[in-house]
Every structure is written in structure tokens, then in C-alpha cells.
Amino acid sequence: MQPHPTALLWLALLALPATLVAAPLDLDPTRVERTGRPNDRLVCPPGACAAVADAAAPTLELPADALLERWRRVLRTQPRVTILLDEPLGLRLVAQQRSRLWGFVDTVAIRVLPQGPGRSSFAAYSRSETGYWDLGVNAQRLESWIAALLAEPG
């Protein structure tokens, strides 16, 4: 029995968005190309990212390696998060978080950006791996993770 041609078309259309974006481990928020869909969010200091950011990242009075460690701690406290890449020399983390109900995968890439002695900022990009809309999940994720980052003692 052969599949119906319409079914094959739908399968091809569903697979298409996944082929248009970078693989998760290749994600660098400072060089990312936005999806063009309302299911991603970029936070970055002015002028530090190739793409237009949705919000500006703060500068913290922390050395870059300390800010990277703080990001690690925030990621470890989040539910259903897997750290895929921890690159200390590149000051970069890539993680995936699955939704609680359906298990949808969102990818988050973070790069810490040194801003001079004892100061650093970051670029953070969160995107859905499937679908077109995310109902604001990626924006809410970055907002809450950044709030947790800023609330860390020290």
C-alpha cells in the first residue's frame, strides 16, 4: 500500500523548518540567523550580535568565567534541561529543554561576552525546534532564566 500523495506533502512540509536552521551544537547567539518565525528570542548587548535582538542583555560586575559558571548553575536548576555543549574556552553553553506536556524541544545557546576587567555580559538565544508559534515560551524562558541569573548571590 502506497502513502497518499497529500500525506507525503505534509510530511515534507513538517520536516522543512528543521532543515532551515543551524544544528543545535553550531548555535552561537552572536552569529545566529533568526528563524523569521514567532518562536525564537534573542537577548544581546547592543551591537554584539549579527541579528537584531529582542532585548538588551545587562553588563554584570563579574569576570566572564564567573558569569559562565553562574549560567551553568541556572541551567542545572531548570526542569527537563540537558546541557549539550559546555565550552569553557569559548565561553559558550548550548542546552535543550523539553516541554512538560508534549516533550517539544527548544534549544538555548548562551555566549558570555567579556566587557573589560571584571565585567561581562552575554548573548542568549532560545528557539523552538518544531512548529511556527511558541505562545511566548522562548521569551518567557529567557526572562525567567535571566532573572534567576541576576538573583544569584555574589
Side-chain angles (χ1 to χ4, degrees):
M1 180 161 124
Q2 291 192 335
H4 190 276
T6 305
L8 290 175
L9 177 62
W10 278 109
L11 285 173
L13 289 174
L14 288 172
L16 183 61
T19 63
L20 297 176
V21 294
L25 294 180
D26 293 337
L27 275 183
D28 179 341
T30 63
R31 297 181 302 176
V32 72
E33 291 184 30
R34 303 290 298 271
T35 65
R37 299 185 306 264
N39 67 356
D40 72 348
R41 178 81 167 177
L42 177 63
V43 176
C44 189
C49 290
V52 175
D54 297 299
T59 297
L60 289 86
E61 298 295 326
L62 284 172
D65 59 340
L67 180 54
L68 185 66
E69 179 56 34
R70 190 179 280 198
W71 268 113
R72 282 187 196 105
R73 287 193 303 268
V74 168
L75 291 177
R76 287 184 196 126
T77 65
Q78 303 306 311
R80 301 172 307 282
V81 168
T82 303
I83 296 176
L84 303 176
L85 178 74
D86 186 340
E87 192 178 78
L89 293 178
L91 298 172
R92 190 166 66 106
L93 296 166
V94 176
Q96 287 187 329
Q97 184 174 42
R98 291 190 174 274
S99 66
R100 182 174 48 89
L101 187 57
W102 298 102
F104 293 128
V105 176
D106 293 345
T107 301
V108 181
I110 299 160
R111 180 177 290 276
V112 172
L113 306 168
Q115 300 289 308
R119 299 181 63 194
S120 56
S121 186
F122 59 87
Y125 177 66
S126 182
R127 73 169 187 217
S128 299
E129 293 299 332
T130 55
Y132 188 80
W133 285 283
D134 71 347
L135 304 174
V137 170
N138 286 292
Q140 291 169 357
R141 173 185 298 112
L142 286 185
E143 287 173 20
S144 69
W145 289 10
I146 291 167
L149 180 85
L150 298 175
E152 280 262 322

